[in-house]
Amino acid sequence: MTTFGFHASHEQIGPRALLEAVMHAERAGFDAAMCSDHFSPWSARQGESGFAWSWLGSALQATGLPFGVVNAPGQRYHPAIIAQAIGTLGAMYPGRFWAALGTGEASNEHITGDPWPRKDIRAARLRECVDVIRALLAGEEVSHDGLVRVDRARLWTRPEQPPALVGAAVSVATARWCAEWADGLITVNAPVAHLREMIDAYRDAGGEGPLHLQVHVSWAPDQAQAEAIAYDQWRSNVFAPPVCWDLETAEHFDVVSADVPAHRVAEVVNVSADLGRHVGWLEEYLELGFDQIALHHVGQEQRGFIDAFGAEVLPKLRPAG
């Protein structure tokens, strides 16, 4: 049975309010949660960027939900540190934590002062990081000299069962590549045909494990309000790769998105005041076979969305009885 999660967006909501939101989501009937891991928001209008790993410890303690995080090891984070973070949360909350690993965006990674590599180099670096993290979680002492360097690292605190390392992808080619190493696949809402092609590529290449989908939605009781929320908060997020990978600051995103038309936002966010319309969109994703669907309301106020979806949307998506 598909589980429905709450996506916690650190770029948009301060950590205290975000913790209150995820606790409320659990009470409202959400089955799971996941969060982003950013150093910078996508826009100055979003205005936040709390540290995901501090927050995750609080969120796992404050709820009974399983949690995931989307992380980019290799530049801002050394893979041994990410392995330690994953291992500690896995040991504290067995069976409740997973990490999705991707190649990242310059807006978060440029802060180290190191050059932002080409996409092929970032992919190769991620693959090295995955191997390092897996080996450390397995209890091995790791030394490695490559795009990342590790010297005699060993994790002294580890979970009995290593948390899943999920591959993050938005393209068919990346989904196929993730099948080489990932324990599952995560992507974001896109046209159904594209999502189906991604799933097929992952499975046909031997990819195993659960399929996760993050769905951007904007809901309000009034259609104009739902559209205004999406336009204010998410118009900086309409740009396809490589633009979204390579811009370096929130100010850059705000400049390039200054004249984005509203219809572009509706191409990446499911915008509607009609809860039945949201049910229909989610039913289409269900038919593709996703094991977990995490809903991200792109507004900064979450309570109304949580209450409405908990009462009127999620029950219609679950099997009767």
Side-chain angles (χ1 to χ4, degrees), residues 103-185:
T103 55
E105 298 99 9
S107 60
N108 300 307
E109 309 306 323
H110 77 90
I111 62 164
T112 65
D114 294 326
W116 180 235
R118 300 187 313 268
K119 173 62 174 173
D120 60 321
I121 301 298
R122 301 199 304 272
R125 181 173 68 183
L126 174 60
R127 190 68 181 82
E128 291 184 19
C129 289
V130 170
D131 290 344
V132 167
I133 293 168
R134 283 204 189 281
L136 288 169
L137 290 172
E140 300 175 22
E141 180 179 284
V142 176
S143 293
H144 179 79
D145 295 294
L147 294 169
V148 293
R149 295 174 62 85
V150 186
D151 180 41
R152 293 165 293 176
R154 176 183 172 188
L155 288 187
W156 294 86
T157 296
R158 298 183 295 111
E160 291 186 11
Q161 181 65 36
L165 302 182
V166 175
V170 295
S171 72
V172 172
T174 301
R176 184 179 297 110
W177 173 72
C178 286
E180 299 176 8
W181 59 265
D183 299 319
L185 183 72

Side-chain angles (χ1 to χ4, degrees), residues 34 68-73 97-102 164-168 181 185-186:
M34 63 173 289
V69 64
V70 182
N71 173 262
F97 181 67
W98 53 271
L101 304 178
L165 302 182
V166 175
W181 59 265
L185 183 72
I186 187 168

Side-chain angles (χ1 to χ4, degrees), residues 36-316:
S36 54
D37 180 3
H38 277 237
F39 196 87
S40 173
W42 299 99
S43 165
R45 294 182 306 279
Q46 294 177 345
E48 295 285 350
S49 220
F51 185 53
W53 295 92
S54 300
W55 184 87
L56 279 162
S58 293
L60 282 156
Q61 182 64 28
T63 72
L65 299 174
F67 270 82
V69 64
V70 182
N71 173 262
Q75 187 158 330
R76 180 170 44 124
Y77 293 114
H78 192 280
I81 299 302
I82 292 303
Q84 186 182 31
I86 291 171
T88 297
L89 290 178
M92 292 180 70
Y93 305 101
R96 289 180 54 202
F97 181 67
W98 53 271
L101 304 178
T103 55
E105 298 99 9
S107 60
N108 300 307
E109 309 306 323
H110 77 90
I111 62 164
T112 65
D114 294 326
W116 180 235
R118 300 187 313 268
K119 173 62 174 173
D120 60 321
I121 301 298
R122 301 199 304 272
R125 181 173 68 183
L126 174 60
R127 190 68 181 82
E128 291 184 19
C129 289
V130 170
D131 290 344
V132 167
I133 293 168
R134 283 204 189 281
L136 288 169
L137 290 172
E140 300 175 22
E141 180 179 284
V142 176
S143 293
H144 179 79
D145 295 294
L147 294 169
V148 293
R149 295 174 62 85
V150 186
D151 180 41
R152 293 165 293 176
R154 176 183 172 188
L155 288 187
W156 294 86
T157 296
R158 298 183 295 111
E160 291 186 11
Q161 181 65 36
L165 302 182
V166 175
V170 295
S171 72
V172 172
T174 301
R176 184 179 297 110
W177 173 72
C178 286
E180 299 176 8
W181 59 265
D183 299 319
L185 183 72
I186 187 168
T187 189
V188 297
N189 59 286
V192 167
H194 178 74
L195 293 174
R196 183 178 293 112
E197 191 176 358
M198 287 186 66
I199 293 169
D200 290 345
Y202 180 72
R203 294 298 193 206
D204 290 347
E208 299 180 347
L211 301 172
H212 296 259
L213 179 67
Q214 180 187 349
V215 179
H216 302 304
V217 308
S218 183
W219 175 84
D222 174 76
Q223 180 67 22
Q225 184 183 2
E227 293 172 358
I229 289 169
Y231 190 73
D232 177 71
Q233 284 293 295
W234 217 246
R235 69 176 181 269
S236 300
N237 295 65
V238 303
F239 304 105
V243 175
C244 58
W245 293 336
D246 292 344
L247 294 182
E248 292 185 339
T249 69
E251 290 76 15
H252 291 169
F253 279 97
D254 282 337
V255 168
V256 300
S257 64
D259 298 317
V260 166
H263 72 83
R264 287 286 307 282
V265 181
E267 293 171 0
V268 298
V269 181
N270 292 343
V271 183
S272 182
D274 181 354
L275 291 171
R277 184 92 183 276
H278 287 283
V279 170
W281 279 319
L282 292 168
E283 285 176 337
E284 291 184 330
Y285 303 139
L286 277 174
E287 291 174 1
L288 293 172
F290 284 100
D291 299 285
Q292 180 171 308
I293 297 175
L295 303 179
H296 171 214
H297 172 53
V298 299
Q300 292 178 302
E301 296 297 328
Q302 295 289 310
R303 183 170 285 265
F305 152 74
I306 290 169
D307 289 340
F309 275 63
E312 302 294 338
V313 174
L314 299 188
K316 292 181 172 61

